[in-house]
Amino acid sequence: MKDNSEEMFPVVDEDGNILSAATRGECHSGSKLLHPVVHLHVFNSRGELYLQKRPEWKDIQPGKWDTAVGGHIDLGESVEMALKREVKEELGIEDFTSELITHYVFESSREKELVFAHKTVYDGEIHPSEELDGGRFWSIEEIKANMGKEVFTPNFESEFKRLGF
């Protein structure tokens, strides 16, 4: 596991305009510096939603199921560049078409993120990265039946409700 606490993130306003820059460590220290992230919800043509399993060694929400792809936008990257990079890194998918659903501010006790949430329909092969503990497709009914049972990350649950899947 690499130490990337010195990686630089843009600090933005709620419209995504860059105000300054800060390290990953500063953004995750409780400073509440607003920084942008991308999420991709991957559906198959049957309407099932792919979720990744967070490994037990993660410092945030270990062992929980989460949005298929989630990652920070690095300083100098556009939303689209970050989305393509993260999807390739996390799921090995290079050829996909996504649609921006919404953007919103998510705040936890440690950080504050401007989330750009996208969705795609994809029936090709998925190769989860070694940084994940695998993943699988879930029916919407199966997800709803497991909400509030410590199965999913709080971030995924709030976004799932927000997006009305």
Side-chain angles (χ1 to χ4, degrees), residues 28-95:
H28 291 179
S29 67
S31 66
K32 301 294 178 93
L33 292 169
L34 185 63
H35 57 287
V37 299
V38 290
H39 286 177
L40 180 67
H41 295 277
V42 179
F43 289 90
N44 62 22
S45 55
R46 293 189 303 279
E48 297 168 325
L49 184 58
Y50 187 91
L51 300 180
Q52 62 158 269
K53 187 150 194 236
R54 296 178 63 79
E56 294 296 338
W57 54 258
K58 283 280 191 184
D59 58 338
I60 298 174
Q61 299 296 325
K64 301 262 179 88
W65 290 89
D66 202 0
T67 308
V69 175
H72 291 89
I73 298 175
D74 292 335
L75 194 60
E77 258 185 335
S78 69
V79 171
E80 293 74 22
M81 288 163 61
L83 187 66
K84 283 189 182 332
R85 176 180 53 75
E86 288 289 341
V87 172
K88 183 177 179 183
E89 281 176 13
E90 294 190 3
L91 301 182
I93 299 173
E94 295 186 58
D95 186 23

Side-chain angles (χ1 to χ4, degrees), residues 11-153:
V11 174
V12 298
D13 64 19
E14 293 192 6
D15 293 318
N17 300 306
I18 298 174
L19 306 175
S20 63
T23 65
R24 172 189 287 263
E26 289 169 327
C27 288
H28 291 179
S29 67
S31 66
K32 301 294 178 93
L33 292 169
L34 185 63
H35 57 287
V37 299
V38 290
H39 286 177
L40 180 67
H41 295 277
V42 179
F43 289 90
N44 62 22
S45 55
R46 293 189 303 279
E48 297 168 325
L49 184 58
Y50 187 91
L51 300 180
Q52 62 158 269
K53 187 150 194 236
R54 296 178 63 79
E56 294 296 338
W57 54 258
K58 283 280 191 184
D59 58 338
I60 298 174
Q61 299 296 325
K64 301 262 179 88
W65 290 89
D66 202 0
T67 308
V69 175
H72 291 89
I73 298 175
D74 292 335
L75 194 60
E77 258 185 335
S78 69
V79 171
E80 293 74 22
M81 288 163 61
L83 187 66
K84 283 189 182 332
R85 176 180 53 75
E86 288 289 341
V87 172
K88 183 177 179 183
E89 281 176 13
E90 294 190 3
L91 301 182
I93 299 173
E94 295 186 58
D95 186 23
F96 69 98
T97 305
S98 66
E99 171 193 342
L100 177 64
I101 309 168
T102 189
H103 68 277
Y104 66 92
V105 174
F106 176 79
E107 189 167 349
S108 72
S109 59
R110 289 177 55 165
E111 63 178 335
K112 194 170 173 183
E113 297 177 329
L114 179 61
V115 180
F116 290 91
H118 299 76
K119 71 176 180 179
T120 191
V121 175
Y122 184 80
D123 286 315
E125 286 191 30
I126 297 177
H127 302 281
S129 109
E130 291 170 9
E131 291 199 10
L132 309 180
D133 195 11
R136 70 173 177 91
F137 281 99
W138 296 63
S139 72
I140 298 303
E141 294 70 33
E142 190 182 9
I143 292 171
K144 287 179 177 172
N146 283 286
M147 294 285 272
K149 295 181 179 174
E150 301 289 314
V151 173
F152 308 116
T153 65

